[in-house]
Amino acid sequence: MGQRDEPLKASFMQTVCRHRLCLPLVFLGMAAGIVTTVPVVLLSKSVRDIFPPQMKWWQTTVLYQIYPRSFKDSNGDGIGDLQGITSKLDYLASINVKAIWISPFYPSPMLDFGYDISNYTDVDPVFGNLTDFNELVKKAHSLGIRVVIDFVPGHTSSKHPWFQNSAKKIEPYTDYYIWANGTQLQNGTRMPPSNWVSVFEGSAWTWNNERQQYYYHAFLPEQPTLNYRSPKVVQEMKDTIRFWLDQGVDGIRADAVAHIMVYSDYYRDQLLSNVPGAQPYQRSYYITNLTDNQPELHTVVKGWRDVLNSYEDSKDDDTDTSKALIVEVYAPPEIRNIYFDDGADMPFNFDLLTALNSSKFCDALCIRNVVQNEYDTLPGGKWANFVSNHDNHRASTRRGARDIDAMLVLLLTLRGTPTIYYGEEIGMEDVPVSYNETQDPPAQRLGPARYMEISRDPERSPMQWDSSPNAGFTNDTVRPWLPVASDHSQVNVKSQNASANATTLKMFRELAFLREEPSLRYGLLTFCKVTPNILSYLRAAHEMTNYLVVINFGNETVTENLSGDPVNKGLGRIKVSSTAAANEGRFVTDRTVQLSALTLKPGDAVVLEL
């Protein structure tokens, strides 16, 4: 290979080095005395993982949250169930969802709809049985879909045998929960040990007549908090994780981790926060450092990671057997990122959801700042994530139908794992629920004047599958557990799939498949032009096709020049666009457009191939 062979050598290097790490190897040419080098593809697994990055399954997919009560009813009782989920797995595979997160389906009195668990290792009859769950996992895996389950480690139901035995001081359950004596006043009045307040308002201490002590509950009185200073409790919860891993689950999402431990002195009062307008029965009235994010809980989380690691197989092939540990913690980056050190793969990041749901409008500059903060504060080598879920109003309701597509384009093109709440792929919004229709127990307790302050029913309405009276969620002869949206005859899976026009579902599917591209999978994100109206950013990976994302989050039609640095291209080819722009013929797939004068109406979003 002499000088005339340099182009061939360069081409060869470009080809084999694109997806592998290459090192030079001395090559003896055919001509005597000529020594040159050619690249060698290192095939050992340890080196092959270096470039491009070998990513875990939870980094490369949309994580799709399913609230079982609301997804699909298979037996006609008006409540969704496990068989209903199984029946819709083909649909999820068709939109390139490769991981689902299922909210609690365990036996429960349902005072917090499954987050008050009376048996950690079974299925509530309203959702089916263990056989149904095993069939769900089997079918999901056959379709290449991973299964993550909600793990509720901090509290049980007061109906759980552990609590009932603890109240009786029956060993080994005596110290399974947090018990304290309280204070007896001179007039005979009994007072709780401290001023700690529950998430659902009111004292976090409830008197138990049988044991003659108070017990602590971070949430409802019917949800007593477990005592993680008891080694027996720590072991019980590890065994719970093992049980579900034995059923084939691929990961756990640990609920409300910040609340699983409290300060060791139960009699110490919280200091006042001095938040304007806060009332003594509300958590915001206090600085909750005695009840949230205690240092000792990190040892507990590390123990869960150890259990998950023990189920990962070490194989010298491309099989990804990793088990995901996701933790829910509403906290700023300096607190939530500590959980990375415990072995958490993703401490849920709610910052973008909070900003979009804020009563103060978050414009494109605001969104850029929130996203940039996630990247800036992320520890080295860790992976970002952006969340929507069942405890918050759908962001589409706050922003309005105009911005639904824009928000989906944002979530599915950011660098990191997006969690998509069921129905968002078709543009579902919150459904108004009257007090008489309210099912959420904490909201019911506040009464008709205040129930909407905390009700989570509006975002938990039944999935809209078709235009039939009950949206295909359940039989038309029964009443769904929550009202179906009034717009379901237009906003549903079947109609959007069948439409000759562009739809939100079609756009979602295109985005979900486009995410397979290297630049959108692992490429860097560089913000381009950002104004109060326009958010734009480049997704780029070395020697790969790059993409420019442009979204108008404002209220004005704008024309922008995006051809300059860092894009440095004059033309872009449309790959995905919001439905209104597509249906109006302004952004047509595969059409080439000038980046020097790109016009977007409010709510427009476009992904351009460069």
Side-chain angles (χ1 to χ4, degrees), residues 530-585:
V530 181
T531 70
N533 293 305
I534 292 295
L535 179 71
S536 66
Y537 46 90
L538 184 67
R539 296 297 312 278
H542 181 60
E543 292 191 351
M544 300 296 173
T545 301
N546 297 334
Y547 296 89
L548 173 65
V549 181
V550 190
I551 307 171
N552 187 348
F553 280 112
N555 296 312
E556 301 172 355
T557 298
V558 293
T559 299
E560 297 287 356
N561 179 3
L562 297 162
S563 62
D565 191 61
V567 176
N568 296 318
K569 299 281 185 181
L571 299 175
R573 186 181 300 276
I574 296 168
K575 298 304 295 182
V576 180
S577 71
S578 50
T579 57
N583 288 327
E584 292 170 10

Side-chain angles (χ1 to χ4, degrees), residues 445-462:
R445 294 181 184 214
L446 286 188
R450 295 186 58 213
Y451 80 101
M452 280 306 297
E453 292 179 18
I454 64 171
S455 178
R456 297 162 296 180
D457 288 338
E459 61 264 25
R460 297 177 176 180
S461 61

